[in-house]
């Protein structure tokens, strides 16, 4: 049974689609070391749910460097170079696509009236590098990325509009669903009036995501009702 409304799905990456064995954090530390001689710029805070540019802005502020647009972009560029080098080094046991995710993406792609994209704080090139390792990047034809906007609500809005454009439907007529693993994903979904499906594959439990306002939350996408919530839920 098809969806009653055009549907835009926006999948987060880190902690939701994949676990990267710490490659992202290591690459960010190496970028700060290369440009500013500091491996510890981001040690004092959690990156969960943050956009890449917001991470760099906070790291620069912590080490006393003015976070100008050029300074942020320089760190991002260095980070991407290190990320491309770090990811192939991670053991397969530590770098994985989370259970049920490939099946969920393929099921959504098979539905008429569905647009399947990304809603992630990663910049576009970082998203590609991370997802190509698990051979799923080509399944996402659009998205909202950390390079579209530093604020997560706005990048999710951008992704939702891109999906609606792909479907040829006004955004206000679409069902938009954000799939994520952090309270920031939930807040971003609610910030644009979208639904949110939480997954406990990151640092937060399903119960904690429900308490933040997720419409559904599951340990992972092998849960019995997860696919139904994605394809036919509110």
């Amino acid at each position: 049974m098809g969806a009653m409304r055009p549907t835009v799905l926006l999948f987060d990456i880190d902690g939701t689609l994949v676990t990267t064995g710490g490659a992202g954090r290591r690459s960010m530390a190496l970028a700060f070391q290369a440009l500013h001689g500091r491996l510890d710029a981001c040690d004092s805070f959690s990156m969960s749910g943050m956009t890449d540019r917001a991470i760099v802005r906070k790291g620069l502020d912590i080490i006393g460097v003015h976070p100008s647009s050029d300074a942020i972009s320089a760190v991002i560029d260095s980070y991407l170079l290190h990320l491309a080098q770090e990811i192939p080094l991670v053991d397969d046991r530590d770098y994985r696509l989370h259970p049920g995710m490939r099946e969920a993406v393929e099921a959504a792609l098979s539905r008429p009236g569905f647009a399947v994209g990304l809603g992630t704080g990663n910049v576009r090139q970082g998203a590609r590098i991370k997802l190509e390792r698990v051979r799923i990047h080509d399944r996402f034809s659009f998205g909202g990325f950390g390079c579209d906007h530093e604020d997560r609500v706005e990048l999710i809005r951008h992704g939702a509009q891109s999906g609606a454009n792909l479907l040829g439907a006004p955004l206000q007529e679409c069902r938009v669903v954000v799939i994520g693993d952090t309270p920031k994903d939930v807040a971003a979904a609610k910030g644009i009036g979208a639904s949110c499906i939480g997954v406990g594959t990151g640092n937060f439990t399903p119960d904690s995501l429900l308490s933040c306002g997720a419409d559904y939350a599951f340990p992972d996408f092998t849960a019995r009702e997860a696919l139904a919530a994605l394809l036919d839920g509110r």
Side-chain angles (χ1 to χ4, degrees):
M1 183 175 179
M4 294 184 67
R5 288 190 289 161
T7 296
V8 179
L9 303 181
L10 298 172
F11 286 83
D12 175 51
I13 293 179
D14 297 289
T16 299
L17 284 169
V18 298
T19 288
T20 65
R25 179 174 278 277
R26 286 194 300 276
S27 299
M28 190 65 75
L30 289 168
F32 271 95
Q33 182 184 47
L35 294 178
H36 300 288
R38 295 285 296 270
L39 269 172
D40 62 338
C42 302
D43 285 358
S44 63
F45 62 94
S46 170
M47 297 179 181
S48 293
M50 295 181 69
T51 64
D52 282 349
R53 292 186 68 85
I55 290 167
V56 174
R57 181 181 299 279
K58 186 164 186 175
L60 289 171
D61 188 60
I62 286 171
I63 64 173
V65 176
H66 176 61
S68 67
S69 180
D70 285 348
I72 292 171
S73 294
V75 176
I76 293 291
D77 289 346
S78 180
Y79 158 75
L80 291 170
L81 292 174
H82 287 290
L83 188 67
Q85 295 169 354
E86 283 291 311
I87 281 180
L89 303 178
V90 182
D91 191 278
D92 286 344
R93 293 169 296 181
D94 300 318
Y95 201 115
R96 59 191 182 277
L97 187 67
H98 287 145
M101 279 300 181
R102 192 180 303 278
E103 295 79 4
V105 169
E106 293 299 333
L109 286 168
S110 72
R111 284 282 189 103
F114 272 67
V116 183
L118 297 167
T120 175
N122 286 274
V123 295
R124 187 182 295 269
Q125 186 178 346
R128 177 186 59 77
I129 293 169
K130 288 180 177 180
L131 294 181
E132 281 184 343
R133 160 105 189 228
V134 292
R135 299 180 302 280
I136 200 171
H137 176 259
D138 65 348
R139 309 311 287 154
F140 303 99
S141 57
F142 68 96
F145 300 91
C147 47
D148 295 320
H149 206 288
E150 191 170 322
D151 179 79
R152 199 172 191 96
V153 173
E154 295 308 316
L155 73 85
I156 289 295
R157 193 187 312 278
H158 178 90
Q161 185 63 64
S162 297
N165 293 346
L166 192 65
L167 293 170
L171 179 57
Q172 62 269 25
E173 294 180 9
C174 294
R175 170 182 174 245
V176 179
V177 185
V178 173
I179 304 92
D181 68 296
T182 75
K184 289 184 173 68
D185 295 303
V186 179
K190 298 307 170 183
I192 68 161
S195 298
C196 183
I197 299 176
V199 286
T201 44
N203 296 323
F204 297 89
T205 66
D207 283 346
S208 67
L209 296 172
L210 288 170
S211 71
C212 293
D215 297 274
Y216 306 92
F218 306 98
D220 61 39
F221 253 80
T222 64
R224 188 167 57 108
E225 298 177 355
L227 196 57
L230 185 74
L231 299 179
D232 302 308
R234 58 184 179 272

